[in-house]
Each structure stands twice: as C-alpha cells, then as structure tokens.
Amino acid sequence: MDSATSDRAALQATADNGLKIVVVGGFGVGKTTMVRSVSEIRPLNTEETMTRAGEAVDHLDGVQSKTSTTVAFDFGRITLDERSVLYLFGAPGQERFWFLWDRLFSGTLGAVVLVDTRRLADSWYAIDRLEHHGTPFIVACNDFGGPLHTEQQIREALDISPDVPLVECDARDRSSSKYVLITLVEHLHQLSAARAGSAAGDAGDSPDGDPALAALTSEPTP
C-alpha cells in the first residue's frame, strides 16, 4: 500500500476548507489512473496484486490483462488556494467492494462517473447509487480505443438525462483529467446558481468567483 507524499506539496497550515470529489465507475475503467494523473501529491492507493483466488468473484471480461486492483480507495489532493483544498477519492470497482461506496459518498460535492465504452453496463451501478444519494455527477468516457459511439447512444445506454455533462478523456493525461474536473466544477457551480435563483451575468456566476474552477483552469505549477 502506497501512502508516501511529496515534501514540496505539503499542505499549508492555513488550509481549512476541504472540498470532496469522488471518482466512481466499473472495474478497470481507470479511476486509480485518473487520481494519479491530477494529484499534486503522491497519491495514497490501496492497489493489491490480483490472484487466482479472486478469479471466481471478479469479472475480468474486457480487462484480462489487469494485474492489480484497488481494495479500498484511492486518495489524491489539489490545493486551490491558501484556504481551500480539493480532495479526490477513487472508489473500488469490483462488486464485492461496493459496500464502501455509501461511506465514500458522504460529504461529497459531486462525482465523476468514469466509463469504458466497451463495457457501458459496468457503470450502471455507479449511476444508480449517485442518483439514490442525490449526488450531482458528470460522465467521462475514458479512451480505451474501443468502438466509437455517438453521444446519444451513450446517453441512451446509460439512461442519463440531457442535463448531465458527458465528456471524453484520457485518464493517463493530466490536462485531460483536469478538464474532466473543470467540467464537474462548472456543472456544480451551475446547479448551485440555479438553486439560488442567480441571474445571468451576476458576479457570483463568473468563473473567477469560484476558487475551485479558477484554480483548476490555471496552469499547473511545475
């Protein structure tokens, strides 16, 4: 289990506002990879080597080459400003670890549902649980080089409404994963503005008024 962090990315003592986002999806869709690609610290992960003992309970269709798996959760961090920090949690994908999801959803602002378009059915449970909890989410299609589907085909297969953002991404690429998070934060900001009855063009609706959005859209520190 890897829990070391980078000294140069130490959390500032003034940070007192934690914002939580969860990355969910089916087995082997790239959740651990996404958290790793955007985290400013060396992520904590609970990946273990897959063994023959798990063959009877884990469905490996489409991911036969996978050799390790998350058995609890992944954790990463992005500092937004001196006081605000974004915490990223990657949920385990196997059905036998789904009991952890409800606890991971507690206190979550929103979620990214990461999907492999070759195995869309594997993401149904994640969407069902998020809708059950009333947690806002977006859908990100990770590029595994599978057959191309239209946006409408994916929406119909996942039974998601037109107001749920749907984007494509490469979870291995930092800028692509950042774009996914930016899309989620924009979606959350729009939902918040709508609930508050904010008028279009109000100062509170501008990206500069949202620390999460402003920080994510800025250039990463080398």
Side-chain angles (χ1 to χ4, degrees), residues 109-179:
L109 288 179
V112 173
V113 179
L114 196 60
V115 304
D116 177 350
T117 55
R118 303 170 302 174
R119 301 178 290 123
L120 287 171
D122 291 356
S123 300
W124 289 346
Y125 180 78
I127 293 174
D128 177 73
R129 296 314 299 166
L130 290 168
E131 291 178 341
H132 173 77
H133 284 275
T135 303
F137 66 91
I138 69 168
V139 174
C141 298
N142 197 11
D143 182 13
F144 284 93
L148 295 178
H149 302 283
T150 66
E151 178 178 331
Q152 186 60 31
Q153 287 173 329
I154 295 173
R155 288 187 179 279
E156 290 178 357
L158 296 177
D159 193 23
I160 55 175
S161 62
D163 60 325
V164 174
L166 174 64
V167 299
E168 296 181 356
C169 73
D170 182 342
R172 300 167 298 180
D173 181 73
R174 177 178 173 82
S175 61
S176 183
S177 295
K178 279 185 62 177
Y179 172 72

Side-chain angles (χ1 to χ4, degrees), residues 190-212:
Q190 291 168 359
L191 292 176
S192 177
R195 285 195 298 266
S198 300
D202 185 82
D205 288 339
S206 66
D208 291 339
D210 191 316

Side-chain angles (χ1 to χ4, degrees), residues 176-190:
S176 183
S177 295
K178 279 185 62 177
Y179 172 72
V180 172
L181 297 180
I182 290 168
T183 301
L184 174 59
V185 173
E186 286 179 333
H187 181 54
L188 296 174
H189 190 57
Q190 291 168 359

Side-chain angles (χ1 to χ4, degrees), residues 31-108:
K31 300 178 296 295
T32 297
T33 301
M34 176 169 282
V35 172
R36 283 176 176 170
S37 71
V38 296
S39 178
E40 68 186 13
I41 62 173
R42 185 177 178 185
L44 179 149
N45 66 67
T46 55
E47 281 208 321
E48 296 294 340
T49 301
M50 297 180 65
T51 66
R52 292 184 180 273
E55 291 180 356
V57 291
D58 292 331
H59 302 291
L60 301 180
D61 294 342
V63 289
Q64 290 88 343
S65 62
K66 190 170 174 60
T67 59
S68 62
T69 183
T70 299
V71 297
F73 60 85
D74 304 302
F75 173 77
R77 190 189 79 203
I78 300 175
T79 298
L80 303 177
D81 57 32
E82 291 184 352
R83 300 192 61 181
S84 300
V85 180
L86 182 67
Y87 295 117
L88 302 175
F89 289 82
Q94 303 102 304
E95 184 175 349
R96 58 192 167 118
F97 295 124
W98 283 353
F99 70 92
L100 295 170
W101 286 25
D102 288 348
R103 290 186 177 274
L104 284 177
F105 291 164
S106 178
T108 299

